[in-house]
Amino acid sequence: MNQRPRRRFAHSLAGQMVMLVAGILLLAMGTNAYLHYRDEVNIVDNIMSARAQSLSEILAAVSIDNLLVYDMVTLNDHVRDVIGQPQVVFVSVVDLEGKAITNILNLDNAYVRQAASQTGSKDLILIAEELKKNDVLLFHKVPVTFNDEVLAYVVVILDSSEYAEASVVKFQIKALST
């Protein structure tokens, strides 16, 4: 007996309106969750890009004197300081032909290990080229200049996967709570 009133309600105009409104609300909440996720991803991309740019520019600025006097020990120290920063997976100072003056990889990073195995090489520049193909890694290159002359280039690659994964989890939670 309890089934009949439910069926009547589901087939009635009021029941159909309730279902329509519920569907529209569900669609609106899902769209809201997606737009929030997209905005968060854009914010993270902007923050990581700014971080990559600032690290590159700082390293370029402190490298000028080292490059002018060929002080590779201090230059290597500066590169090690940058690779020690969170999310940094590759740092290099390359000459005008693209040959490495100094470079360091973060071998603890899964993407670096994967790129190294895919290239089958120990050449860090080849590994960096492979890393550039990955969407979650941000590549930034700035010139090291002195008196308007380019001495070298600083290359920094950051891993933003930690933030991307956190954004996906937040989106899933928000989408499932609708």
Side-chain angles (χ1 to χ4, degrees), residues 86-105:
Q87 292 91 30
V88 178
V89 297
F90 178 79
V91 180
S92 183
V93 179
V94 296
D95 64 16
L96 300 179
E97 287 91 42
K99 294 179 183 169
I101 297 170
T102 183
N103 50 29
I104 299 177
L105 280 170

Side-chain angles (χ1 to χ4, degrees), residues 71-121:
D71 181 2
M72 296 305 126
V73 172
T74 306
L75 183 63
N76 285 332
D77 289 342
H78 293 314
V79 170
R80 269 191 226 97
D81 288 342
V82 174
I83 199 74
Q85 299 293 315
Q87 292 91 30
V88 178
V89 297
F90 178 79
V91 180
S92 183
V93 179
V94 296
D95 64 16
L96 300 179
E97 287 91 42
K99 294 179 183 169
I101 297 170
T102 183
N103 50 29
I104 299 177
L105 280 170
N106 177 352
L107 298 174
D108 294 332
N109 184 275
Y111 296 111
V112 171
R113 290 191 306 269
Q114 179 183 9
S117 70
Q118 285 176 339
T119 61
S121 172

